[in-house]
Amino acid sequence: MYTKKNERRKHKRYSGVPLKLYLKKDGEYKQVELVDISIGGFLSNTAISFEIYDDYEAKVQFPNHGVKDVVHAHAVVWRTEANKEEISAKKRFVAFQFTKISDVDKHLINEFLNEYEENVPYK
């Protein structure tokens, strides 16, 4: 008998939406591949090495009616996991949790994501 797996996530996740992610700890922002995002955080795929609990400035950029909107927030590295399909490129999945994001920016992200279906890979 099949039983539905309990979802532990607090927020809906959206995969492959047309967003750009930039992270900065010291120095300049660097673009990182965004795998999925929610109003609680995001998952990236990168060869950049990240340490658990390190805090980063995050910039999420997305098109909205022809105008580029940017959301600024702070996020902490929450989890890292090997990307078995890209071992030769030394890529890994790095999950971030938002630690500081305004209610206005959460609303902006949520409104944008409402145009998409949860967990559908829009590539």
Side-chain angles (χ1 to χ4, degrees):
M1 180 172 153
Y2 174 77
T3 58
K4 187 176 178 183
K5 185 177 178 182
N6 288 338
E7 179 61 57
R8 298 181 333 202
R9 296 177 177 152
K10 191 186 277 189
H11 306 288
K12 291 180 181 180
R13 294 189 177 241
Y14 297 85
S15 303
V17 292
L19 299 169
K20 291 184 181 178
L21 172 65
Y22 301 88
L23 296 173
K24 176 172 88 167
K25 183 172 182 175
D26 298 314
E28 297 181 18
Y29 281 100
K30 294 181 181 178
Q31 186 172 359
V32 178
E33 179 186 344
L34 182 66
V35 175
D36 68 31
I37 188 167
S38 75
I39 61 170
F42 51 88
L43 180 66
S44 66
N45 182 32
T46 182
I48 299 170
S49 183
F50 288 95
E51 294 292 324
I52 297 288
Y53 307 127
D54 276 358
D55 188 47
Y56 287 82
E57 291 180 49
K59 183 167 64 170
V60 180
Q61 183 180 44
F62 53 95
N64 193 4
H65 308 293
V67 176
K68 295 280 185 181
D69 285 318
V70 177
V71 168
H72 292 274
H74 284 258
V76 66
V77 177
W78 197 246
R79 185 182 82 247
T80 61
E81 180 180 327
N83 180 342
K84 295 174 184 172
E85 294 178 7
E86 296 190 70
I87 290 174
S88 62
K90 297 188 178 180
K91 284 198 167 184
R92 64 194 58 91
F93 295 110
V94 183
F96 291 82
Q97 180 178 11
F98 287 128
T99 56
K100 184 178 177 186
I101 184 169
S102 73
D103 288 340
V104 171
D105 286 341
K106 278 185 184 179
H107 179 75
L108 190 59
I109 291 172
N110 198 43
E111 285 296 310
F112 179 79
L113 294 177
N114 277 336
E115 297 178 19
Y116 298 90
E117 288 184 51
E118 182 181 4
N119 289 326
V120 174
Y122 293 95
K123 288 216 177 193

